[in-house]
Amino acid sequence: MTWWRDAVVYQLYTRSFADSNGDGVGDLRGLIDKLDHLAWLGIDVIWLSPVMPSPNTDWGYDVADYCDVHPELGSLSDFDELIETADRRGIRVLNDLVPNHTSDRHAWFVDARSSVDAAHRDWYVWADGRGDGEPPNNWVSSFGGPAWTLDETTGKYYLHLFLPTQPDLNWWNEGVRDAFDEIVRFWFDRGVAGFRIDVCQSIVKDAELRDNPAATELDPPQVRLYGQRHVFSGNRPEVHDVIKNWRRIARRYKPERLLLGETYVWALDALADFYGLRNDELQLGFNIPFVFAHLDAEALHAIVDDVQRLFPRHAWPAWTGSNHDAGRFPTRWCRGDERKVRCALLMLLTLRGTPVLYYGDEIGMPNTPLELDDLRDPVGLRFYPAYHGRDPGRTPMHWNAEDGAGFTSDVVKSWLPLGGYESCNVAAQRNDPGSVLHLTRDLIALRRSSADLRRGAYKSRVPHNGLWVYRRGRRTAIALNFSDEEATVRRLKGRVLISTTRQLDDQDVGGAFSLGPWEGVAVELAG
Ligand code: GLC
Ligand code: CA
């Protein structure tokens, strides 16, 4: 049963979702209290950014213990209760798995760095410098600077593709592989429906630690930024064996557990490879070029078309506009224009594949502008003011217009500042059938009721002047006017199932009809 294909996934950052005890930090009990909202919205699966114990130098992505819950967020028994309560509402729970690196406070690393003979020494990547204080090779950290730090105790460098407090594991070591098999089973046995896998593409490094080649003008800006292609520091063919092994484990469970990869690759054929030639790797992989594309019909159509062309038959796409790294699409794609937010939601929820929403997407929540003093993300702290980091997309959920936004009772302590919750919040939008929240809910319901939208084939016309028209299955068509001008949709006849402005809902359209600027419709085709 490929349950993930029919699902709508919802990512949430537990720290920012709902605070049950007034310490300003969202927690599992707060989340449990909000499951009714997610059930009402029609969400099938929630993905929690890491909830494991962590010194939080990278906010949970530096894990100090893979088989427990961070005390600020709750306990393992809260986690069990979450799974049970969610299950009663038909909602599955995904955990985040961070196999590329641990925290430097993890017992494995504490042991590893203590001596060259330590039991866990080879669990991490150690190398000698190149003399003159030069690190072992030219690899750079995604968070800036060299990917190597000299460890005084043993005089060797250790590798970290992210912060120095996030040492990379050595996936050539069998002990590491066995330890993760156990971690994966630990959570599967507890009832998690699967994992989102962090930095999926880079887990295995070149065994010889060769220098990365320089980036060229042909590379996307995000690659050129680092001056090099990650040819040897990741994207190695051997990563596929690791994923295959997890998939074998996932298959042994009923229902089958899901592996959703953070496949941070810029070439869609490389993304396709992560599904495995025999449907034996990830069931879903994030599409990074799509996330970072502009809200532009031609650009998005080209990506969706490539996916159609390059993915093997068994591979199922995932579509997302916001996450805890890229920030929120209502800002990045839409610059706060609600018409665009509505169009983007119609697109995300009607493309062929599994949509992954981010908490707040359902109300069109924008990024929160922050000052230096507010920042908690190490990346923002390092690059401010050129880049404010990822905190603007991680601020607390807007539940209502009261002090604390319904997120916390103690506004002063809220771990990141609250955004503009007075003007954009769940409570107000629930009372307004014309709101973005109701549109999201109605789109999810439509998707659930329509076999065309869930599983139907995708066939698109080539966009023209920002008008993108595609068909799903036999009887359903989507028309999106991604432009500032009115557009005429031709050769589409039927009944409007839903429109972004709600003005055309249930109307018959025939032959040719017009869409306002940034307006979209889903149409049930006649005959
Ligand atoms: C992934 C996560 C990001 C984190 C990084 C290091 O890209 O999504 O939030 O900082 O990995 O774990
Ligand atoms: Ca709390």
Side-chain angles (χ1 to χ4, degrees):
M1 195 189 66
T2 51
W3 54 266
W4 51 87
R5 296 193 172 201
D6 295 325
V8 175
V9 181
Y10 185 96
Q11 177 194 1
L12 61 95
Y13 212 65
T14 309
R15 291 187 79 78
S16 285
F17 200 59
D19 171 21
S20 69
N21 61 351
D23 63 357
V25 174
D27 45 59
L28 293 178
R29 302 220 66 83
L31 163 56
I32 291 171
D33 294 341
K34 296 296 185 189
L35 286 171
D36 283 336
H37 165 72
L38 299 175
W40 174 85
L41 189 57
I43 296 302
D44 304 290
V45 181
I46 53 178
W47 146 33
L48 312 182
S49 281
V51 294
M52 293 136 190
S54 163
N56 283 333
T57 60
D58 189 22
W59 298 105
Y61 287 94
D62 47 333
V63 177
D65 178 354
Y66 288 90
C67 296
D68 206 346
V69 169
H70 193 284
E72 249 182 331
L73 306 180
S75 63
L76 270 180
S77 67
D78 294 331
F79 192 91
D80 293 340
E81 193 180 321
L82 168 68
I83 299 219
E84 253 180 64
T85 331
D87 185 62
R88 265 184 263 130
R89 289 167 176 76
I91 297 176
R92 301 174 202 260
V93 180
L94 305 180
N95 243 350
D96 213 307
L97 184 69
V98 187
N100 181 70
H101 47 266
T102 68
S103 159
D104 61 345
R105 311 268 188 89
H106 194 293
W108 301 336
F109 191 70
V110 172
D111 177 51
R113 78 191 316 181
S114 68
S115 101
V116 289
D117 305 316
H120 295 92
R121 179 69 175 184
D122 185 51
W123 285 38
Y124 295 84
V125 185
W126 300 94
D128 288 317
R130 288 202 267 208
D132 287 344
E134 285 290 307
N137 66 22
N138 74 348
W139 299 355
V140 289
S141 155
S142 297
F143 291 166
W148 297 94
T149 290
L150 181 65
D151 191 51
E152 302 291 343
T153 317
T154 57
K156 297 221 183 225
Y157 286 83
Y158 67 88
L159 176 69
H160 52 87
L161 292 187
F162 297 91
L163 298 173
T165 52
Q166 295 170 294
D168 277 47
L169 284 161
N170 172 17
W171 276 88
W172 295 99
N173 179 292
E174 288 301 325
V176 169
R177 294 186 185 224
D178 293 345
F180 272 86
D181 284 2
E182 270 178 47
I183 292 163
V184 164
R185 287 198 203 98
F186 173 86
W187 291 106
F188 285 173
D189 290 341
R190 278 208 120 74
V192 308
F195 285 109
R196 175 267 190 186
I197 302 169
D198 192 57
V199 197
C200 197
Q201 76 290 345
S202 290
I203 299 168
V204 182
K205 320 296 187 293
D206 179 42
E208 295 166 41
L209 305 176
R210 281 170 284 183
D211 276 345
N212 278 329
T216 72
E217 279 169 22
L218 298 177
D219 290 308
Q222 293 86 348
V223 171
R224 273 182 281 146
L225 183 70
Y226 294 104
Q228 59 185 238
R229 291 187 176 162
H230 302 290
V231 172
F232 294 113
S233 54
N235 301 302
R236 304 308 301 158
E238 296 87 357
V239 71
H240 296 283
D241 302 330
V242 175
I243 301 171
K244 280 189 184 121
N245 175 51
W246 289 334
R247 181 69 185 275
R248 275 193 292 271
I249 299 176
R251 274 194 207 281
R252 281 185 215 126
Y253 284 79
K254 280 213 172 17
E256 184 176 341
R257 303 303 199 246
L258 168 65
L259 305 176
L260 159 60
E262 184 204 20
T263 35
Y264 218 97
V265 292
W266 295 96
L268 292 171
D269 51 353
L271 173 57
D273 286 347
F274 280 98
Y275 288 84
L277 285 176
R278 297 158 189 261
N279 187 16
D280 52 359
E281 297 190 34
L282 301 177
Q283 296 103 319
L284 294 174
F286 281 117
N287 187 323
I288 300 296
F290 180 85
V291 175
F292 286 98
H294 293 292
L295 191 65
D296 170 279
E298 282 77 8
L300 293 167
H301 163 264
I303 293 172
V304 176
D305 223 50
D306 280 350
V307 163
Q308 291 286 114
R309 211 159 36 78
L310 297 167
F311 274 26
R313 274 178 65 106
H314 59 261
W316 189 251
W319 305 111
T320 191
S322 309
N323 65 38
H324 65 293
D325 294 325
R328 300 182 172 281
F329 80 73
T331 301
R332 202 183 58 261
W333 277 348
C334 311
R335 304 273 158 235
D337 185 333
E338 192 179 308
R339 300 170 307 170
K340 298 184 182 176
V341 172
R342 288 167 181 261
C343 282
L345 285 165
L346 175 58
M347 170 186 73
L348 286 168
L349 289 160
T350 59
L351 283 174
R352 176 179 169 274
T354 299
V356 183
L357 300 177
Y358 184 54
Y359 75 100
D361 278 356
E362 72 271 39
I363 52 171
M365 185 168 153
N367 287 341
T368 304
L370 297 174
E371 304 292 336
L372 179 57
D373 279 353
D374 301 326
L375 300 187
R376 300 285 176 272
D377 174 20
V379 187
L381 288 166
R382 180 175 174 133
F383 293 105
Y384 188 91
Y387 173 52
H388 292 200
R390 299 167 295 179
D391 291 322
R394 296 176 175 180
T395 58
M397 180 69 175
H398 303 170
W399 293 104
N400 60 38
E402 290 161 29
D403 288 353
F407 163 73
T408 181
S409 53
D410 191 334
V411 188
V412 183
K413 287 200 203 134
S414 143
W415 84 285
L416 280 175
L418 300 165
Y421 59 88
E422 299 91 342
S423 56
C424 171
N425 66 66
V426 172
Q429 293 197 21
R430 256 188 98 142
N431 288 330
D432 172 7
S435 64
V436 172
L437 179 60
H438 277 271
L439 174 70
T440 309
R441 180 173 187 248
D442 293 346
L443 282 167
I444 293 174
L446 176 63
R447 202 187 134 84
R448 191 190 296 282
S449 70
S450 158
D452 275 356
L453 287 179
R454 286 195 321 272
R455 300 274 180 135
Y458 163 93
K459 209 166 173 344
S460 180
R461 298 182 191 166
V462 177
H464 186 63
N465 291 336
L467 178 66
W468 184 12
V469 180
Y470 53 86
R471 204 156 145 164
R472 292 296 319 283
R474 288 174 42 140
R475 301 272 317 261
T476 309
I478 315 297
L480 289 160
N481 181 11
F482 281 2
S483 87
D484 296 327
E485 312 293 329
E486 195 162 286
T488 305
V489 184
R490 296 179 203 284
R491 290 178 287 122
L492 248 186
K493 196 167 175 318
R495 186 179 59 94
V496 173
L497 295 163
I498 195 165
S499 68
T500 55
T501 55
R502 312 310 299 258
Q503 314 248 314
L504 296 170
D505 286 21
D506 294 323
Q507 292 197 14
D508 288 323
V509 287
F513 62 97
S514 54
L515 288 179
W518 298 99
E519 185 176 19
V521 286
V523 175
E524 181 178 29
L525 299 172

